[in-house]
Amino acid sequence: MSQRVVVNPIACEAHGMCAELLPERIALDDWGYPIVDGRPLSADLIEHAQRAAEACPTFALLLQADGAPIRASAGASRPAPPTVRNVRRRPEPVVRRQTRQGRRR
Amino acid sequence: MSATIAATLPRLLLGIDPQSALSLQDHLAVHGPMPGRQTGARRRFGRRSDLGGGLVDELERAGLRGRGGASFPTATKLRAAMAAGGRPIVVVNATEGEPASMKDRLLLQSLPHLVLDGAVLVAQALGAREAIVCVCETNADLPSVQHAISERRALEEGVQLRFSVVPNGYVTGQESALVQHLSGGPALPRFTPPMPFERGVHGRPTLVGNAETLAHVALIARNGAEWYRQLGISSQPGSTLVTLSGPLAHPGVYEIEHGASLSSLLDAAGGLSATVRAVLIGGYAGTWIDARATHALAISDEHLAPFGASVGAGVIALLSADACPVAETARLMRWLADQSAGQCGPCVNGLHAIASTFALLATGTAGDGAAQNIARLISLTRGRGACRHPDGAVRLVESAAQVFGEELADHARHGSCTGCGRTAELPLPAWSDVAREDRARRTRGMARGSSKLRASAGA
């Protein structure tokens, strides 16, 4: 089942996170708003797309499964599969512990 | 306003009295009683699809499409509302935000029962108990609608009719904006899906129908799909209302069959009183067509497609050769940019940039590459709003670039022409100034560099 990225232009506030995290599919226009390439995502891009959607401060970036309706209400549509959560959460505490140790020294 | 009845074709406009609204009694005398009323039948929630199937099938056979501008198949919309869960609501869209269009106002003013018939029939078919008639603030003073609603109480149709006033604006009558307004929110378009017929007013499936579309429903339900298809062309059957304006003896609302020639319509309107440079078709966010191409032009989506135009909301505005098409387009584009709901960045910024560049071009101060810049901005803006407003606005400028290439080049070189100073031929509504202030308030902080993160970083 293929997925594509969709942007809710009403929710979007041009923070530009998505273009940083998914430059393969998202460029920014003159005013910083995303220009989204709506072609289906290849397997190697899905994880990046999920991360970009999670990083959007206004939940304006949505992942749409082929044929499935987009859940439009902000927040409820946030795609957050467990694998992505693990990827995001595990490394962070490690980094923090290291810095704290560094400070103690 | 002048309401003229095409002699060959009084369908919707049959029996119209330009002076006063047709009473319920007179309306029923002209068109016959309401059809298909299941007297005594219990309109039960779970069985509504059995009840409405007949009407929907008939509308599908007739090939009726929406007359608010989008030309969406009415039967498809009805089926979707039936399939969605919950008791549906019917909304009559007579907001008519299109400044050059007067057909919906004419219907409500003179033939309110034709529109209400359609609303009640659709509501009965869907099992809806409520139908809301929406008009814009400008038309809020129409006593004909209120009176017609009170006249119908005696019929006991099982559908409660309500009247709702929607703020003036080009996009406030957009389907999802109406739904959001009726749910207690602002009258601004929202992100779709879900479409209003899936989740609309208060989360219920909502059938939003243009006033003229519902008037056609009232006639198709009475006379059948075959009758409806006797007029028009196979790709677009039936008749339609158009609002004709320009240097004519009798501008106004006309009923024509789809595929009728523009010249026959102009003859019906008393002929031209001045030379025409171009015709604006569909609406203000419509398409310019060169007058030299209009002698054989027919009014239907099929015939207009080669010009990139469509019948849209039925606006046919003739621009005289004395007027400056560049100045007129610049003014309309500025107005359309101001009419953005101010919600989507590409629409707010893109339309504003296009309008500004086009205005500079019109005064000859844009410098080199302005035309290319406009073309680039158009491609940046198209298709990137939550509603279709930016798409329509860029269509106007794009068609102007094609049709008025000579005049544009002339303005870019020499600045304003003698026609630029003339009184505008395409009128803008009086409420525009208020709307502009409103928009400025809403869009504050949408320009580049003002998003919340950047603002906090700078603070």
Side-chain angles (χ1 to χ4, degrees):
Chain A
M1 187 182 62
S2 62
Q3 292 191 320
R4 53 194 86 219
V5 247
V6 178
V7 68
N8 174 349
I10 296 180
C12 177
E13 289 181 0
H15 290 102
M17 307 287 201
C18 52
E20 296 281 343
L21 293 168
L22 193 64
E24 295 87 350
R25 285 302 156 86
I26 298 173
L28 296 182
D29 67 12
D30 294 15
W31 311 283
Y33 290 87
I35 302 170
V36 173
D37 178 347
R39 286 177 300 174
L41 293 161
S42 53
D44 58 315
L45 282 182
I46 286 189
E47 194 179 300
H48 293 281
Q50 286 168 338
R51 209 172 293 168
E54 280 215 331
C56 177
T58 57
F59 308 132
L61 194 71
L62 313 169
L63 255 70
Q64 183 195 19
D66 232 7
I70 312 167
R71 290 286 146 243
S73 54
S77 55
R78 193 179 185 186
T83 50
V84 177
R85 274 192 199 136
N86 292 342
V87 169
R88 278 190 68 183
R89 279 179 190 165
R90 260 178 214 154
E92 283 171 12
V94 176
V95 172
R96 252 179 248 137
R97 246 175 267 138
Q98 281 171 343
T99 48
R100 262 182 234 131
Q101 282 165 359
R103 269 180 209 149
R104 270 179 217 139
R105 273 175 217 153
Chain B
M1 71 172 300
S2 66
T4 320
I5 308 153
T8 53
L9 204 153
R11 267 188 177 180
L12 293 178
L13 301 186
L14 187 66
I16 192 170
D17 177 1
Q19 306 303 319
S20 66
L22 213 60
S23 70
L24 181 60
Q25 202 184 350
D26 292 346
H27 163 74
L28 293 177
V30 170
H31 292 290
M34 279 278 275
R37 175 83 211 283
Q38 281 126 352
T39 41
R42 288 180 67 192
R43 270 180 292 277
R44 284 191 47 190
F45 182 55
R47 290 179 50 232
R48 66 174 188 272
S49 52
D50 324 335
L51 289 167
L55 178 68
V56 179
D57 289 345
E58 202 65 27
L59 294 176
E60 185 150 54
R61 277 196 294 275
L64 180 66
R65 284 166 171 269
R67 301 299 164 80
S71 197
F72 193 82
T74 307
T76 308
K77 228 186 207 182
L78 274 160
R79 275 197 222 289
M82 279 174 168
R87 187 178 287 282
I89 291 184
V90 173
V91 172
V92 182
N93 189 354
T95 51
E96 202 159 49
E98 188 62 61
S101 177
M102 290 191 290
K103 66 183 178 77
D104 294 337
R105 184 186 162 90
L106 173 73
L107 283 174
L108 283 193
Q109 187 174 265
S110 301
L111 305 164
H113 284 293
L114 201 57
V115 178
L116 295 181
D117 271 5
V120 168
L121 285 164
V122 164
Q124 287 174 346
L126 292 176
R129 286 188 184 143
E130 199 179 355
I132 309 169
V133 184
C134 289
V135 301
C136 63
E137 284 167 333
T138 310
N139 291 346
D141 56 344
L142 286 180
S144 53
V145 189
Q146 310 269 25
H147 181 68
I149 290 175
S150 62
E151 270 184 307
R152 290 188 90 96
R153 293 224 173 90
L155 294 181
E156 291 183 359
E157 293 168 308
V159 179
Q160 198 202 343
L161 292 164
R162 273 211 292 135
F163 184 74
S164 179
V165 178
V166 181
N168 282 325
Y170 199 65
V171 295
T172 54
Q174 198 267 349
E175 211 174 67
S176 69
L178 272 189
V179 161
Q180 192 157 235
H181 170 74
L182 293 171
S183 305
L188 300 172
R190 64 169 201 202
F191 182 62
T192 52
M195 299 298 286
F197 50 70
E198 295 165 330
R199 278 171 59 93
V201 178
H202 298 305
R204 291 199 268 165
T206 303
L207 192 285
V208 183
N210 170 259
E212 186 198 337
T213 315
L214 293 170
H216 282 291
V217 170
L219 295 187
I220 292 169
R222 283 183 169 90
N223 305 319
E226 289 311 309
W227 167 85
Y228 180 78
R229 297 186 75 96
Q230 279 169 13
L231 286 178
I233 55 177
S234 59
S235 64
Q236 206 175 9
S239 65
T240 191
L241 296 181
V242 295
T243 312
L244 188 62
S245 65
L248 293 152
H250 309 291
V253 177
Y254 289 81
E255 185 174 11
I256 60 167
E257 65 174 318
H258 283 121
S261 70
L262 179 63
S263 53
S264 68
L265 177 60
L266 298 183
D267 289 343
L272 295 170
S273 57
T275 322
V276 169
R277 170 68 184 87
V279 185
L280 181 59
I281 300 258
Y284 276 6
T287 313
W288 286 111
I289 298 181
D290 198 312
R292 281 167 288 193
T294 56
H295 62 278
L297 192 70
I299 310 298
S300 83
D301 287 345
E302 187 184 319
H303 293 103
L304 292 170
F307 299 93
S310 65
V311 179
V315 167
I316 301 175
L318 309 173
L319 187 73
S320 77
D322 296 336
C324 173
V326 177
E328 295 278 351
T329 306
R331 210 169 41 83
L332 290 193
M333 186 56 209
R334 164 54 54 205
W335 185 80
L336 288 169
D338 282 344
Q339 287 302 307
S340 165
Q343 299 188 111
C344 306
C347 178
V348 171
N349 294 299
L351 295 189
H352 179 78
I354 294 168
S356 302
T357 316
F358 199 90
L360 291 177
L361 204 62
T363 51
T365 50
D368 294 338
Q372 289 86 334
N373 193 27
I374 288 178
R376 192 185 67 88
L377 288 167
I378 285 175
S379 69
L380 265 188
T381 308
R382 186 187 282 117
R384 291 184 59 215
C387 72
R388 313 297 284 176
H389 179 64
D391 309 8
V394 301
R395 186 171 51 208
L396 174 80
V397 172
E398 211 169 33
S399 66
Q402 278 169 15
V403 175
F404 308 130
E406 253 170 63
E407 286 98 332
L408 272 169
D410 193 53
H411 278 73
R413 248 183 321 232
H414 308 296
S416 306
C417 67
T418 47
C420 285
R422 280 169 52 97
T423 318
E425 283 195 13
L426 300 167
L428 295 179
W431 46 259
S432 301
D433 294 339
V434 185
R436 178 180 297 192
E437 284 164 27
D438 193 41
R439 170 190 168 275
R441 204 171 50 240
R442 278 202 309 274
T443 58
R444 207 166 289 153
M446 284 207 78
R448 182 182 184 152
S450 58
S451 69
K452 277 173 196 161
L453 266 194
R454 290 197 195 101
S456 60

